[in-house]
Structures are given as structure tokens and as C-alpha cells.
Amino acid sequence: MCLSATNKRWTRAPLTTVVATLHAIGKAVDDCRNAGVDPNSDPAVVLLARHMATVSTNRAPRDVLRHACRRRLEDLKRFPTLLALAIRGVEYDAGAKERFHIEATEAMNALAVCIGLAPGTFEIVSLQGERDQSGHVLLAAGEFAVTVRIGARHEGREVAYRTVGDSTSPPNHYAPMADLLKPDRFADRLRRDLSIAVRPIVPVAPVLIAA
């Protein structure tokens, strides 16, 4: 069953790129799952996996590829994914949007640690928004809130932060994405700009920050 379904797709659309072949492998694995077949031994998956080597345009030796991978990892450390996504945007790209929310949530957790927030005294919320929006990730604490969103409208001021008042709505402060990626320094900036004093407090309810 799996082999037949995959052969039909292969005939309709010849697999001439790595991306197309990966997509076909994913579909073949889905076919196996639906049919109760082990994809590790399914002939369609095996054929597609072997075909992957024929469509790759990079014929470099294994050692060269390993070195290139290490170099790429070093590049990612210097130019993090979150910064790259802030530059390119994620609108109408579900995969990139998901990655943005994962990376932004991790960045907010790192910021909370650097600020010294105790577990249970803050909340991090990921709001996806519409397909044509990046959505945003919110860090809400008892005294302040921080939001990160990306897109052309927010270029250079992707991070918004402000104090949380009982009845007033203090103005937002803004910072570029690169600042959030240095959580220790950004934590110092928050303390300075917002005059916050981190101390143990009771768990807080979600707080929204103005756009």
C-alpha cells in the first residue's frame, strides 16, 4: 500500500531536489503509519532515502561536510535564529512562525532567569495571531511586562516593555531584538528603565501589554 501510493506521487512529480524528496519521504511515512507498516523497513521509504543521495548537488566528502556543519553552528551562535527571523519575517510561513514562537519563548525564559524572577511569579504566553501576522510572546510579571513581536512594523523595536500599574497605562519602552538575545544586559536595562525591584511575590494573573 505504501509503495503504491508513493509511486503514484513520484510519477506525477519527479523528485529532482532534496526538499521535494524530503516531502515525499514524509508522505511515505504517513502512508506507513496509516497502513500500520514499519517505515524503517518499508520499500518506498528505503527507495526514497536512497534517492536522496542522487538529488543532492553537494558531493563534498564526509569530512568536508562535517567541517561545514561545525562552521554553520558557529555562525548560528553569532547570528541566532531569532535575529534572522526578525529580519526576514514569518508572515504566511507556518514553519518559520512556529520557530519564532519557540525561540522567543526560550529567550523570555532566559530573561526571567537573569532578572531573578522566582518560579510561579511570572507567566510566559505565546499568542499566534493570524496567518499574516507574527503573533507575539509575552512575559508578564507582577511589576512589568515584556512583549516580543516581529515584522516590518516593528523593525528595530521588536521588544516592548513597560511597568504594570493599577489604574494607569505607562508608556512602552522599546528595544531591538539583538538586545533580548543578551539577557543579562537586558535585565539590567529593565531594572534601570522601569525601576523594578525583583522580590518574591505571589503568582500573578496574565497581563496584556499595549501594542
Side-chain angles (χ1 to χ4, degrees):
M1 181 183 296
C2 298
L3 183 58
S4 175
T6 302
N7 277 340
K8 290 179 181 178
R9 281 193 296 270
W10 198 335
T11 301
R12 289 198 303 268
L15 305 177
T16 58
T17 67
V18 169
V19 173
T21 306
L22 279 173
H23 181 70
I25 291 175
K27 291 293 186 181
V29 171
D30 288 342
D31 288 342
C32 289
R33 185 179 298 111
N34 294 333
V37 176
D38 180 8
N40 293 303
S41 58
D42 180 71
V45 177
V46 173
L47 281 173
L48 289 168
R50 291 178 180 176
H51 180 68
M52 180 72 75
T54 69
V55 297
S56 173
T57 59
N58 191 336
R59 304 294 182 180
R62 181 182 297 271
D63 288 344
V64 173
L65 292 175
R66 288 183 180 277
H67 177 72
C69 287
R70 287 193 294 269
R71 188 171 64 247
R72 182 63 57 84
L73 289 174
E74 290 299 321
D75 289 343
L76 286 174
K77 292 179 181 178
R78 293 192 298 268
F79 197 73
T81 301
L82 196 55
L83 188 57
L85 292 173
I87 294 173
R88 58 158 285 195
V90 299
E91 294 81 0
Y92 299 104
D93 187 334
K97 184 174 181 177
E98 179 183 12
R99 175 50 52 185
F100 160 65
H101 281 263
I102 292 173
E103 297 282 340
T105 298
E106 291 179 356
M108 289 295 202
N109 274 302
L111 178 61
V113 170
C114 289
I115 293 173
L117 298 177
T121 65
F122 66 94
E123 185 173 11
I124 297 176
V125 182
S126 173
L127 300 174
Q128 298 286 325
E130 301 297 331
R131 290 182 61 250
D132 61 340
Q133 301 171 338
S134 70
H136 66 271
V137 176
L138 167 71
L139 165 62
E143 298 178 86
F144 65 94
V146 183
T147 299
V148 58
R149 50 167 58 89
I150 58 179
R153 290 178 51 203
H154 311 288
E155 184 176 356
R157 41 192 280 156
E158 293 88 0
V159 185
Y161 57 100
R162 67 174 175 87
T163 55
V164 176
D166 294 331
S167 57
T168 60
S169 180
N172 282 332
H173 299 259
Y174 294 97
M177 183 68 76
D179 286 6
L180 180 62
L181 298 176
K182 300 174 182 177
D184 51 345
R185 295 183 183 179
F186 192 52
D188 289 338
R189 178 173 175 175
L190 288 178
R191 295 189 188 96
R192 182 178 66 252
D193 290 353
L194 304 182
S195 299
I196 59 176
V198 177
R199 56 185 179 276
I201 55 177
V202 297
V204 299
V207 178
L208 296 180
I209 186 171

